[in-house]
Amino acid sequence: MRITIVGSGYVGLVTGACFADLGWRVTCVDIDHDKIDGLRQGQMPIFEPGLAEVVGRNAENGRLEFDTDLAAAVDGADAVFLTVGTPPMEDGRADTTAVAAAVTALAPALTGYTVVVIKSTVPVGTGDYVHRLISEANPNADFSIASNPEFLREGNAIRDFMEPDRIVIGYDDERAGDILRTLYNPLEQRNVPVVATDCATSELIKYSANSFLAAKVAFINEMADLCDAIGANVDDLARAIGLDNRIGPSFLRPGPGYGGSCFPKDTLALAAQAQEADCPVRIVEAVVASNAHHVRRLVRKIERSCLKAWAGLGRDHATLAGKTIAVLGLAFKSNTDDIRYAASLVILPQLAKHGVKLRAYDPAAMDNAAEVMPEVTYCASVGEALDSADAVLVLTEWPEFQVLDWADLKARMAAPVMIDFRNLFSPQDVAGNGVMYFSLGRPEVQAEQVLEATVTRLEDVSAARSRSTLTL
Ligand SMILES: NC(=O)c1ccc[n+]([C@@H]2O[C@H](COP(=O)([O-])OP(=O)(O)OC[C@H]3O[C@@H](n4cnc5c(N)ncnc54)[C@H](O)[C@@H]3O)[C@@H](O)[C@H]2O)c1
């Protein structure tokens, strides 16, 4: 079987590399010549753990090739996967311009029977639309359309492709189903469930899965805000409700709102399509509104927390203007360089508008962020970002932020104040390390608590010392 992948971004490149790893011959195509030149030289256009190894070994064994010549790559292919972007338009609907451009370009090159598989996330009905476009451009083409939505998560993409919870395939022509089942047979053999359905249902499955997950995130964020407001603890709440099998523990961690290239656009697209169908999805509309509200609230929370902490330290606490805030994390989540719809893109410009000086560090996303937020100073390390900062704001859950050297942090910062929108630390631990701490839906650690925790720690140390003296 020969596969052509059209669009070598996050989804296309991972899909192509993994299909090659499963033993198929794959050509990944892109209109971006620099990207293809780089890939031919082994340079990855994105940060994705493990991707370079899979691409490298399959390029070396000849199963994976890269090309900008769409017609040549499509000629003789059994399956052509469309993995181009489908960004949101102003009104929330998905923009399928890139899908249309790609199929119009590839239609004349189809030879023999080919299944054109839409892997991009697209509105219901796109399969029919693509069918029409190809038939118009090449009336003699022998082809059918299939839908095969992708569920991989950036940062875990290789594993998600190779060990997915399920594979969804939608088709209205059995020949397409046979080819897709053959391509995915190595995974089906490993007991990965395959859900086969019609094209329209398959297209809708992707939107509803993402909207459901987004709802879980928005829900726990609302609970965190409520915990803050009424003095309850979201950690215990999330654990308790997550232990209910009907709810499950995943996606119950508060954060700075969902972001990335999928949840924001897919919730909007589903809501827009449902409106068009005169069947509004009120829950999804509420999720979109709730997420936007949560992020806006966080800007106010930063201001409130900083002013309170600085007042507790007896420092000037009238305004954020002129203060320096260190920012740990810019990507929408860890293990990716993707900043699309990241909370940092909403929060940091707002802080800059308040006159805050921002010093940011992210292990992978700084180049992308620098293109859209030139007002931020980008630092080479966590330590450099912390130097002379009046507060530190945690926005991404990178593993290296979870093992901070607290003594070094305190020595570098002008004021030991942390605002953690990933709830990376336990408030007691942070208090014990002498840092004032504000997180989501959990008790604040203010100057008095830091003092108390320090005294308790000193008492513990001296008690331990006298115990060891007695033993001696
Ligand atoms: N990124 C994710 O985590 C993820 C997960 C599941 C589904 N999806 C969906 O997959 C689709 C692709 O997303 P992505 O994040 O990989 O996008 P991306 O922007 O990273 O990649 C798209 C690629 O397509 C290329 N392209 C555009 N037009 C082309 C054309 N006519 N011919 C050849 N190449 C072309 C672009 O140059 C780019 O390299 C979207 O619909 C997205 O919603 C993404």
Side-chain angles (χ1 to χ4, degrees), residues 11-43:
V11 169
L13 192 52
V14 170
T15 302
C18 290
F19 268 137
D21 224 34
L22 293 178
W24 307 116
R25 277 180 54 214
V26 179
T27 306
C28 286
V29 178
D30 207 286
I31 44 173
D32 184 336
H33 287 247
D34 290 344
K35 197 176 262 190
I36 294 297
D37 285 346
L39 281 164
R40 283 178 169 154
Q41 289 159 32
Q43 291 157 12

PDB file of all heavy atoms in Angstrom, residues 11-43:
ATOM      1  N   VAL A  11      -0.126  16.921  12.751  1.00  0.00           N
ATOM      2  CA  VAL A  11      -0.862  15.683  12.489  1.00  0.00           C
ATOM      3  C   VAL A  11      -0.272  14.930  11.291  1.00  0.00           C
ATOM      4  O   VAL A  11      -0.043  13.719  11.347  1.00  0.00           O
ATOM      5  CB  VAL A  11      -2.360  16.004  12.254  1.00  0.00           C
ATOM      6  CG1 VAL A  11      -3.108  14.795  11.717  1.00  0.00           C
ATOM      7  CG2 VAL A  11      -2.988  16.452  13.567  1.00  0.00           C
ATOM      8  N   GLY A  12       0.005  15.659  10.203  1.00  0.00           N
ATOM      9  CA  GLY A  12       0.482  14.994   8.988  1.00  0.00           C
ATOM     10  C   GLY A  12       1.813  14.294   9.183  1.00  0.00           C
ATOM     11  O   GLY A  12       2.010  13.144   8.773  1.00  0.00           O
ATOM     12  N   LEU A  13       2.726  14.983   9.845  1.00  0.00           N
ATOM     13  CA  LEU A  13       4.061  14.410  10.012  1.00  0.00           C
ATOM     14  C   LEU A  13       4.029  13.193  10.937  1.00  0.00           C
ATOM     15  O   LEU A  13       4.651  12.159  10.656  1.00  0.00           O
ATOM     16  CB  LEU A  13       4.991  15.497  10.564  1.00  0.00           C
ATOM     17  CG  LEU A  13       6.482  15.202  10.555  1.00  0.00           C
ATOM     18  CD1 LEU A  13       6.952  14.761   9.174  1.00  0.00           C
ATOM     19  CD2 LEU A  13       7.252  16.448  11.002  1.00  0.00           C
ATOM     20  N   VAL A  14       3.281  13.321  12.021  1.00  0.00           N
ATOM     21  CA  VAL A  14       3.177  12.187  12.950  1.00  0.00           C
ATOM     22  C   VAL A  14       2.478  11.012  12.259  1.00  0.00           C
ATOM     23  O   VAL A  14       2.937   9.864  12.334  1.00  0.00           O
ATOM     24  CB  VAL A  14       2.403  12.605  14.233  1.00  0.00           C
ATOM     25  CG1 VAL A  14       2.074  11.399  15.096  1.00  0.00           C
ATOM     26  CG2 VAL A  14       3.218  13.621  15.030  1.00  0.00           C
ATOM     27  N   THR A  15       1.393  11.287  11.548  1.00  0.00           N
ATOM     28  CA  THR A  15       0.657  10.225  10.854  1.00  0.00           C
ATOM     29  C   THR A  15       1.557   9.538   9.821  1.00  0.00           C
ATOM     30  O   THR A  15       1.629   8.301   9.761  1.00  0.00           O
ATOM     31  CB  THR A  15      -0.587  10.817  10.140  1.00  0.00           C
ATOM     32  OG1 THR A  15      -1.394  11.467  11.114  1.00  0.00           O
ATOM     33  CG2 THR A  15      -1.401   9.743   9.450  1.00  0.00           C
ATOM     34  N   GLY A  16       2.251  10.352   9.028  1.00  0.00           N
ATOM     35  CA  GLY A  16       3.114   9.781   7.988  1.00  0.00           C
ATOM     36  C   GLY A  16       4.224   8.931   8.581  1.00  0.00           C
ATOM     37  O   GLY A  16       4.470   7.793   8.149  1.00  0.00           O
ATOM     38  N   ALA A  17       4.889   9.485   9.606  1.00  0.00           N
ATOM     39  CA  ALA A  17       6.014   8.764  10.212  1.00  0.00           C
ATOM     40  C   ALA A  17       5.531   7.459  10.851  1.00  0.00           C
ATOM     41  O   ALA A  17       6.177   6.407  10.735  1.00  0.00           O
ATOM     42  CB  ALA A  17       6.692   9.652  11.250  1.00  0.00           C
ATOM     43  N   CYS A  18       4.379   7.511  11.507  1.00  0.00           N
ATOM     44  CA  CYS A  18       3.882   6.307  12.197  1.00  0.00           C
ATOM     45  C   CYS A  18       3.381   5.265  11.198  1.00  0.00           C
ATOM     46  O   CYS A  18       3.624   4.063  11.381  1.00  0.00           O
ATOM     47  CB  CYS A  18       2.792   6.677  13.200  1.00  0.00           C
ATOM     48  SG  CYS A  18       3.431   7.574  14.618  1.00  0.00           S
ATOM     49  N   PHE A  19       2.704   5.692  10.138  1.00  0.00           N
ATOM     50  CA  PHE A  19       2.289   4.714   9.119  1.00  0.00           C
ATOM     51  C   PHE A  19       3.535   4.044   8.506  1.00  0.00           C
ATOM     52  O   PHE A  19       3.531   2.836   8.241  1.00  0.00           O
ATOM     53  CB  PHE A  19       1.468   5.381   8.018  1.00  0.00           C
ATOM     54  CG  PHE A  19      -0.023   5.360   8.266  1.00  0.00           C
ATOM     55  CD1 PHE A  19      -0.804   6.484   8.028  1.00  0.00           C
ATOM     56  CD2 PHE A  19      -0.658   4.207   8.721  1.00  0.00           C
ATOM     57  CE1 PHE A  19      -2.181   6.471   8.252  1.00  0.00           C
ATOM     58  CE2 PHE A  19      -2.041   4.176   8.947  1.00  0.00           C
ATOM     59  CZ  PHE A  19      -2.794   5.320   8.714  1.00  0.00           C
ATOM     60  N   ALA A  20       4.587   4.822   8.285  1.00  0.00           N
ATOM     61  CA  ALA A  20       5.826   4.232   7.743  1.00  0.00           C
ATOM     62  C   ALA A  20       6.384   3.217   8.739  1.00  0.00           C
ATOM     63  O   ALA A  20       6.844   2.136   8.365  1.00  0.00           O
ATOM     64  CB  ALA A  20       6.849   5.329   7.456  1.00  0.00           C
ATOM     65  N   ASP A  21       6.302   3.568  10.019  1.00  0.00           N
ATOM     66  CA  ASP A  21       6.803   2.672  11.063  1.00  0.00           C
ATOM     67  C   ASP A  21       5.985   1.376  11.117  1.00  0.00           C
ATOM     68  O   ASP A  21       6.476   0.336  11.546  1.00  0.00           O
ATOM     69  CB  ASP A  21       6.740   3.379  12.422  1.00  0.00           C
ATOM     70  CG  ASP A  21       8.002   3.160  13.243  1.00  0.00           C
ATOM     71  OD1 ASP A  21       9.093   3.074  12.646  1.00  0.00           O
ATOM     72  OD2 ASP A  21       7.890   3.064  14.479  1.00  0.00           O
ATOM     73  N   LEU A  22       4.717   1.457  10.709  1.00  0.00           N
ATOM     74  CA  LEU A  22       3.878   0.253  10.683  1.00  0.00           C
ATOM     75  C   LEU A  22       4.151  -0.576   9.418  1.00  0.00           C
ATOM     76  O   LEU A  22       3.554  -1.631   9.221  1.00  0.00           O
ATOM     77  CB  LEU A  22       2.389   0.626  10.728  1.00  0.00           C
ATOM     78  CG  LEU A  22       1.883   1.277  12.024  1.00  0.00           C
ATOM     79  CD1 LEU A  22       0.402   1.647  11.904  1.00  0.00           C
ATOM     80  CD2 LEU A  22       2.083   0.358  13.229  1.00  0.00           C
ATOM     81  N   GLY A  23       5.011  -0.049   8.540  1.00  0.00           N
ATOM     82  CA  GLY A  23       5.429  -0.843   7.381  1.00  0.00           C
ATOM     83  C   GLY A  23       4.958  -0.345   6.026  1.00  0.00           C
ATOM     84  O   GLY A  23       5.305  -0.923   4.997  1.00  0.00           O
ATOM     85  N   TRP A  24       4.183   0.759   5.997  1.00  0.00           N
ATOM     86  CA  TRP A  24       3.675   1.251   4.712  1.00  0.00           C
ATOM     87  C   TRP A  24       4.645   2.245   4.089  1.00  0.00           C
ATOM     88  O   TRP A  24       5.444   2.853   4.793  1.00  0.00           O
ATOM     89  CB  TRP A  24       2.294   1.899   4.907  1.00  0.00           C
ATOM     90  CG  TRP A  24       1.313   1.022   5.618  1.00  0.00           C
ATOM     91  CD1 TRP A  24       0.731   1.238   6.822  1.00  0.00           C
ATOM     92  CD2 TRP A  24       0.815  -0.246   5.171  1.00  0.00           C
ATOM     93  NE1 TRP A  24      -0.100   0.200   7.162  1.00  0.00           N
ATOM     94  CE2 TRP A  24      -0.074  -0.729   6.167  1.00  0.00           C
ATOM     95  CE3 TRP A  24       1.028  -1.024   4.043  1.00  0.00           C
ATOM     96  CZ2 TRP A  24      -0.741  -1.947   6.060  1.00  0.00           C
ATOM     97  CZ3 TRP A  24       0.353  -2.241   3.936  1.00  0.00           C
ATOM     98  CH2 TRP A  24      -0.511  -2.685   4.930  1.00  0.00           C
ATOM     99  N   ARG A  25       4.521   2.383   2.757  1.00  0.00           N
ATOM    100  CA  ARG A  25       5.349   3.386   2.049  1.00  0.00           C
ATOM    101  C   ARG A  25       4.604   4.709   2.040  1.00  0.00           C
ATOM    102  O   ARG A  25       3.457   4.780   1.598  1.00  0.00           O
ATOM    103  CB  ARG A  25       5.622   2.922   0.617  1.00  0.00           C
ATOM    104  CG  ARG A  25       6.798   1.938   0.551  1.00  0.00           C
ATOM    105  CD  ARG A  25       7.045   1.487  -0.868  1.00  0.00           C
ATOM    106  NE  ARG A  25       7.216   2.603  -1.778  1.00  0.00           N
ATOM    107  CZ  ARG A  25       6.815   2.586  -3.046  1.00  0.00           C
ATOM    108  NH1 ARG A  25       6.219   1.527  -3.555  1.00  0.00           N
ATOM    109  NH2 ARG A  25       7.027   3.614  -3.840  1.00  0.00           N
ATOM    110  N   VAL A  26       5.265   5.742   2.527  1.00  0.00           N
ATOM    111  CA  VAL A  26       4.571   7.016   2.751  1.00  0.00           C
ATOM    112  C   VAL A  26       5.347   8.179   2.117  1.00  0.00           C
ATOM    113  O   VAL A  26       6.577   8.240   2.220  1.00  0.00           O
ATOM    114  CB  VAL A  26       4.439   7.304   4.274  1.00  0.00           C
ATOM    115  CG1 VAL A  26       3.731   8.637   4.513  1.00  0.00           C
ATOM    116  CG2 VAL A  26       3.703   6.174   4.990  1.00  0.00           C
ATOM    117  N   THR A  27       4.601   9.082   1.470  1.00  0.00           N
ATOM    118  CA  THR A  27       5.203  10.351   1.050  1.00  0.00           C
ATOM    119  C   THR A  27       4.441  11.477   1.737  1.00  0.00           C
ATOM    120  O   THR A  27       3.213  11.568   1.611  1.00  0.00           O
ATOM    121  CB  THR A  27       5.099  10.554  -0.481  1.00  0.00           C
ATOM    122  OG1 THR A  27       5.657   9.418  -1.124  1.00  0.00           O
ATOM    123  CG2 THR A  27       5.858  11.813  -0.912  1.00  0.00           C
ATOM    124  N   CYS A  28       5.175  12.305   2.482  1.00  0.00           N
ATOM    125  CA  CYS A  28       4.569  13.474   3.124  1.00  0.00           C
ATOM    126  C   CYS A  28       4.801  14.695   2.243  1.00  0.00           C
ATOM    127  O   CYS A  28       5.944  14.990   1.867  1.00  0.00           O
ATOM    128  CB  CYS A  28       5.211  13.738   4.483  1.00  0.00           C
ATOM    129  SG  CYS A  28       4.704  12.581   5.748  1.00  0.00           S
ATOM    130  N   VAL A  29       3.708  15.393   1.933  1.00  0.00           N
ATOM    131  CA  VAL A  29       3.794  16.552   1.041  1.00  0.00           C
ATOM    132  C   VAL A  29       3.465  17.812   1.841  1.00  0.00           C
ATOM    133  O   VAL A  29       2.663  17.766   2.773  1.00  0.00           O
ATOM    134  CB  VAL A  29       2.759  16.400  -0.101  1.00  0.00           C
ATOM    135  CG1 VAL A  29       2.788  17.609  -1.035  1.00  0.00           C
ATOM    136  CG2 VAL A  29       3.001  15.122  -0.877  1.00  0.00           C
ATOM    137  N   ASP A  30       4.089  18.922   1.444  1.00  0.00           N
ATOM    138  CA  ASP A  30       3.689  20.207   2.022  1.00  0.00           C
ATOM    139  C   ASP A  30       3.956  21.300   0.998  1.00  0.00           C
ATOM    140  O   ASP A  30       4.831  21.151   0.135  1.00  0.00           O
ATOM    141  CB  ASP A  30       4.448  20.503   3.322  1.00  0.00           C
ATOM    142  CG  ASP A  30       3.649  21.400   4.256  1.00  0.00           C
ATOM    143  OD1 ASP A  30       3.544  22.617   3.959  1.00  0.00           O
ATOM    144  OD2 ASP A  30       3.093  20.893   5.253  1.00  0.00           O
ATOM    145  N   ILE A  31       3.185  22.398   1.102  1.00  0.00           N
ATOM    146  CA  ILE A  31       3.432  23.528   0.203  1.00  0.00           C
ATOM    147  C   ILE A  31       4.597  24.381   0.716  1.00  0.00           C
ATOM    148  O   ILE A  31       5.089  25.240   0.018  1.00  0.00           O
ATOM    149  CB  ILE A  31       2.193  24.441   0.029  1.00  0.00           C
ATOM    150  CG1 ILE A  31       1.523  24.696   1.377  1.00  0.00           C
ATOM    151  CG2 ILE A  31       1.212  23.863  -0.963  1.00  0.00           C
ATOM    152  CD1 ILE A  31       0.395  25.709   1.312  1.00  0.00           C
ATOM    153  N   ASP A  32       4.982  24.137   1.953  1.00  0.00           N
ATOM    154  CA  ASP A  32       6.072  24.897   2.565  1.00  0.00           C
ATOM    155  C   ASP A  32       7.414  24.245   2.184  1.00  0.00           C
ATOM    156  O   ASP A  32       7.804  23.215   2.753  1.00  0.00           O
ATOM    157  CB  ASP A  32       5.843  24.896   4.092  1.00  0.00           C
ATOM    158  CG  ASP A  32       6.861  25.729   4.830  1.00  0.00           C
ATOM    159  OD1 ASP A  32       7.965  25.934   4.284  1.00  0.00           O
ATOM    160  OD2 ASP A  32       6.564  26.150   5.965  1.00  0.00           O
ATOM    161  N   HIS A  33       8.091  24.868   1.219  1.00  0.00           N
ATOM    162  CA  HIS A  33       9.334  24.268   0.702  1.00  0.00           C
ATOM    163  C   HIS A  33      10.409  24.163   1.786  1.00  0.00           C
ATOM    164  O   HIS A  33      11.148  23.185   1.843  1.00  0.00           O
ATOM    165  CB  HIS A  33       9.852  25.084  -0.495  1.00  0.00           C
ATOM    166  CG  HIS A  33       9.021  24.887  -1.726  1.00  0.00           C
ATOM    167  ND1 HIS A  33       9.485  24.250  -2.856  1.00  0.00           N
ATOM    168  CD2 HIS A  33       7.741  25.222  -1.988  1.00  0.00           C
ATOM    169  CE1 HIS A  33       8.516  24.208  -3.755  1.00  0.00           C
ATOM    170  NE2 HIS A  33       7.441  24.798  -3.256  1.00  0.00           N
ATOM    171  N   ASP A  34      10.492  25.193   2.642  1.00  0.00           N
ATOM    172  CA  ASP A  34      11.522  25.163   3.704  1.00  0.00           C
ATOM    173  C   ASP A  34      11.300  23.969   4.629  1.00  0.00           C
ATOM    174  O   ASP A  34      12.243  23.295   5.059  1.00  0.00           O
ATOM    175  CB  ASP A  34      11.481  26.443   4.550  1.00  0.00           C
ATOM    176  CG  ASP A  34      11.968  27.641   3.747  1.00  0.00           C
ATOM    177  OD1 ASP A  34      12.595  27.415   2.689  1.00  0.00           O
ATOM    178  OD2 ASP A  34      11.702  28.788   4.165  1.00  0.00           O
ATOM    179  N   LYS A  35      10.026  23.722   4.930  1.00  0.00           N
ATOM    180  CA  LYS A  35       9.700  22.600   5.821  1.00  0.00           C
ATOM    181  C   LYS A  35      10.160  21.284   5.197  1.00  0.00           C
ATOM    182  O   LYS A  35      10.797  20.449   5.853  1.00  0.00           O
ATOM    183  CB  LYS A  35       8.179  22.576   6.045  1.00  0.00           C
ATOM    184  CG  LYS A  35       7.731  21.769   7.211  1.00  0.00           C
ATOM    185  CD  LYS A  35       6.217  21.879   7.409  1.00  0.00           C
ATOM    186  CE  LYS A  35       5.846  22.886   8.460  1.00  0.00           C
ATOM    187  NZ  LYS A  35       4.422  22.848   8.833  1.00  0.00           N
ATOM    188  N   ILE A  36       9.859  21.119   3.923  1.00  0.00           N
ATOM    189  CA  ILE A  36      10.207  19.860   3.253  1.00  0.00           C
ATOM    190  C   ILE A  36      11.739  19.739   3.112  1.00  0.00           C
ATOM    191  O   ILE A  36      12.311  18.668   3.369  1.00  0.00           O
ATOM    192  CB  ILE A  36       9.504  19.761   1.878  1.00  0.00           C
ATOM    193  CG1 ILE A  36       7.981  19.651   2.088  1.00  0.00           C
ATOM    194  CG2 ILE A  36      10.023  18.586   1.050  1.00  0.00           C
ATOM    195  CD1 ILE A  36       7.502  18.416   2.845  1.00  0.00           C
ATOM    196  N   ASP A  37      12.403  20.855   2.770  1.00  0.00           N
ATOM    197  CA  ASP A  37      13.878  20.816   2.683  1.00  0.00           C
ATOM    198  C   ASP A  37      14.462  20.400   4.027  1.00  0.00           C
ATOM    199  O   ASP A  37      15.356  19.561   4.110  1.00  0.00           O
ATOM    200  CB  ASP A  37      14.447  22.205   2.315  1.00  0.00           C
ATOM    201  CG  ASP A  37      14.218  22.510   0.838  1.00  0.00           C
ATOM    202  OD1 ASP A  37      13.878  21.563   0.089  1.00  0.00           O
ATOM    203  OD2 ASP A  37      14.361  23.692   0.462  1.00  0.00           O
ATOM    204  N   GLY A  38      13.955  21.020   5.090  1.00  0.00           N
ATOM    205  CA  GLY A  38      14.443  20.700   6.439  1.00  0.00           C
ATOM    206  C   GLY A  38      14.206  19.231   6.776  1.00  0.00           C
ATOM    207  O   GLY A  38      15.099  18.549   7.293  1.00  0.00           O
ATOM    208  N   LEU A  39      13.010  18.743   6.483  1.00  0.00           N
ATOM    209  CA  LEU A  39      12.689  17.336   6.810  1.00  0.00           C
ATOM    210  C   LEU A  39      13.615  16.387   6.054  1.00  0.00           C
ATOM    211  O   LEU A  39      14.045  15.361   6.589  1.00  0.00           O
ATOM    212  CB  LEU A  39      11.224  17.042   6.470  1.00  0.00           C
ATOM    213  CG  LEU A  39      10.224  17.548   7.513  1.00  0.00           C
ATOM    214  CD1 LEU A  39       8.799  17.585   6.958  1.00  0.00           C
ATOM    215  CD2 LEU A  39      10.274  16.660   8.758  1.00  0.00           C
ATOM    216  N   ARG A  40      13.925  16.750   4.814  1.00  0.00           N
ATOM    217  CA  ARG A  40      14.845  15.887   4.046  1.00  0.00           C
ATOM    218  C   ARG A  40      16.221  15.835   4.707  1.00  0.00           C
ATOM    219  O   ARG A  40      16.967  14.883   4.540  1.00  0.00           O
ATOM    220  CB  ARG A  40      14.986  16.404   2.620  1.00  0.00           C
ATOM    221  CG  ARG A  40      13.770  16.054   1.765  1.00  0.00           C
ATOM    222  CD  ARG A  40      13.923  16.630   0.388  1.00  0.00           C
ATOM    223  NE  ARG A  40      12.918  16.115  -0.529  1.00  0.00           N
ATOM    224  CZ  ARG A  40      12.494  16.759  -1.594  1.00  0.00           C
ATOM    225  NH1 ARG A  40      12.986  17.961  -1.888  1.00  0.00           N
ATOM    226  NH2 ARG A  40      11.597  16.216  -2.379  1.00  0.00           N
ATOM    227  N   GLN A  41      16.547  16.917   5.447  1.00  0.00           N
ATOM    228  CA  GLN A  41      17.851  16.928   6.136  1.00  0.00           C
ATOM    229  C   GLN A  41      17.728  16.489   7.593  1.00  0.00           C
ATOM    230  O   GLN A  41      18.639  16.689   8.401  1.00  0.00           O
ATOM    231  CB  GLN A  41      18.443  18.334   6.087  1.00  0.00           C
ATOM    232  CG  GLN A  41      18.912  18.730   4.702  1.00  0.00           C
ATOM    233  CD  GLN A  41      19.008  20.240   4.555  1.00  0.00           C
ATOM    234  OE1 GLN A  41      19.311  20.930   5.518  1.00  0.00           O
ATOM    235  NE2 GLN A  41      18.744  20.730   3.361  1.00  0.00           N
ATOM    236  N   GLY A  42      16.562  15.964   7.944  1.00  0.00           N
ATOM    237  CA  GLY A  42      16.391  15.442   9.305  1.00  0.00           C
ATOM    238  C   GLY A  42      16.013  16.489  10.330  1.00  0.00           C
ATOM    239  O   GLY A  42      16.069  16.235  11.538  1.00  0.00           O
ATOM    240  N   GLN A  43      15.648  17.707   9.868  1.00  0.00           N
ATOM    241  CA  GLN A  43      15.266  18.744  10.850  1.00  0.00           C
ATOM    242  C   GLN A  43      13.751  18.720  11.059  1.00  0.00           C
ATOM    243  O   GLN A  43      12.991  18.819  10.084  1.00  0.00           O
ATOM    244  CB  GLN A  43      15.657  20.134  10.347  1.00  0.00           C
ATOM    245  CG  GLN A  43      17.139  20.367  10.306  1.00  0.00           C
ATOM    246  CD  GLN A  43      17.509  21.463   9.313  1.00  0.00           C
ATOM    247  OE1 GLN A  43      16.654  22.189   8.826  1.00  0.00           O
ATOM    248  NE2 GLN A  43      18.786  21.537   9.009  1.00  0.00           N
TER     249      GLN A  43
END
